[in-house]
Amino acid sequence: MNESLQITRISRDSVERFYESYYDSLDENRLSDWPPHFSEDCLYRVVSRENFERGLPLSTIVAESRNMLIDRVTGLTKTQVYAPRYYRRFPGPLRVQAESNALVSVQHNLLIIQTLIDKQSEIVMSGRCHDKIELEQGQLQLKVRVFVFDSEMIPNSLIYPV
Amino acid sequence: MNESLQITRISRDSVERFYESYYDSLDENRLSDWPPHFSEDCLYRVVSRENFERGLPLSTIVAESRNMLIDRVTGLTKTQVYAPRYYRRFPGPLRVQAESNALVSVQHNLLIIQTLIDKQSEIVMSGRCHDKIELEQGQLQLKVRVFVFDSEMIPNSLIYPV
Amino acid sequence: MNESLQITRISRDSVERFYESYYDSLDENRLSDWPPHFSEDCLYRVVSRENFERGLPLSTIVAESRNMLIDRVTGLTKTQVYAPRYYRRFPGPLRVQAESNALVSVQHNLLIIQTLIDKQSEIVMSGRCHDKIELEQGQLQLKVRVFVFDSEMIPNSLIYPV
């Protein structure tokens, strides 16, 4: 077990507040609030567990900068291709491990629930996030966000931010 | 992000303990332990996301005092109209924001699972709680509890406390 | 509500880190890391809610020592009887209550999600853990782990550690 947070200036508390804000922007559909949670030169990646465990570079979705995430959001808000629905994210406990003075890795499970407005809610994805968060000018930012989902079946919902 | 808890006497820790007790009373079916978590002149409301976001006053369920909640519980324990089943609540991380010396707002996601005893467990509701908790005579109490569920479809289970 | 953690040397923080490690070993399928979380003379029990509430000794699965858990793991890794699938566990908030200087009880809800790699994720179990954790030679260990699941229907997945 890890008590190594002492070597970093990033507190567990601030990491928990960061994710509240992160997931809130997505759940409440305030998409333009989502990219500011990333650093400019971030890596955002959604990948199946099989590819991840084999170390394959293949990803379902990948973006290599905050600007690419901003583009995604612009695209999403312009095209509403599918039936009205809501996504809601249920993160599990955060496993925070210090990497340096200004960098922590944060792993946690994530369950994503989809509700079509006239249907019963259902699970669309179950998986684990492998994130790295850095402290930059007094603010936490995602340097790496990798979501590894358990299924091989790729749901349409993947075009939506995770 | 919010560090404003400093202006209130209510600690995050006590809020977390409060919800453990709250959800425990419901999950374990100790219904008479549920109303004491509310203040006498509370507002309890269950509303669909569409109505909530449009600011419509329409609610699926509403109660405007602790006594009304006590009445609900009495009604529920007398009538067991449907097949034997269990509900279990999975709250997401609590987003606590100070409003005053003795009042905090607490938002969090909530996933409600239903298990009919001879069937597989299933999701009955996914949504977000918009609560206000006050400190009154040394004790925390819900002044406002609003549960906004994502679907437009109203499940039978709604008659049961959330 | 419980503030009695003051009578024990076990901190809430260390209990949270313990469960991160516990659930991680199972979710990531590192089964040999699972038994070391138990004390040598532990009790591990999986039981339906009906039997549990009636106080019946009947369990679906029971093991009375760490060695029996090691045997289970050996059995599981040798026989891969069923279709490839992943399990992922979503624990609810931990309710920690001090029992003595070196013993706490920990109750929490648990949602277990199963993903067959070419299917949509689904709930296999919803229930509550009634655990006891002791501090032994500076390390936390499960002395008792009882998982009470809400359904009467026993899924195949029960042979897998919870």
Side-chain angles (χ1 to χ4, degrees), chain B residues 13-14 16-21 24-25 27-30 37 86-91 111 113 115-123 139-140, chain C residues 1-3 12 16 49-50 53 90-96 107 109-111 114 122-128 130 148-153:
Chain B
D13 224 57
S14 65
E16 289 178 350
R17 298 301 82 71
F18 176 83
Y19 278 102
E20 286 171 19
S21 165
D24 219 27
S25 70
D27 289 347
E28 301 300 312
N29 227 348
R30 291 182 279 98
H37 289 89
Y86 298 116
Y87 295 109
R88 196 165 289 286
R89 291 146 193 87
F90 291 84
L111 189 67
I113 305 298
T115 308
L116 275 78
I117 64 169
D118 57 347
K119 293 245 175 84
Q120 210 173 327
S121 301
E122 57 180 352
I123 301 170
Q139 240 191 325
L140 296 185
Chain C
M1 269 148 284
N2 156 55
E3 307 293 348
R12 160 172 284 274
E16 289 178 350
R49 184 161 172 172
E50 209 186 337
E53 291 186 345
F90 290 84
L94 304 180
R95 190 158 204 195
V96 185
Q107 292 198 12
N109 286 349
L110 182 60
L111 189 66
Q114 167 181 274
E122 57 179 351
I123 301 170
V124 286
M125 304 236 270
S126 174
R128 190 161 179 88
H130 299 253
V148 181
F149 59 98
D150 287 337
S151 180
E152 290 302 296
M153 207 190 60

Side-chain angles (χ1 to χ4, degrees), chain B residues 74-94:
Chain B
T74 311
L76 275 169
T77 47
K78 280 192 184 147
T79 48
Q80 190 74 30
V81 286
Y82 47 171
R85 70 191 66 195
Y86 298 116
Y87 295 109
R88 196 165 289 286
R89 291 146 193 87
F90 291 84
L94 305 180

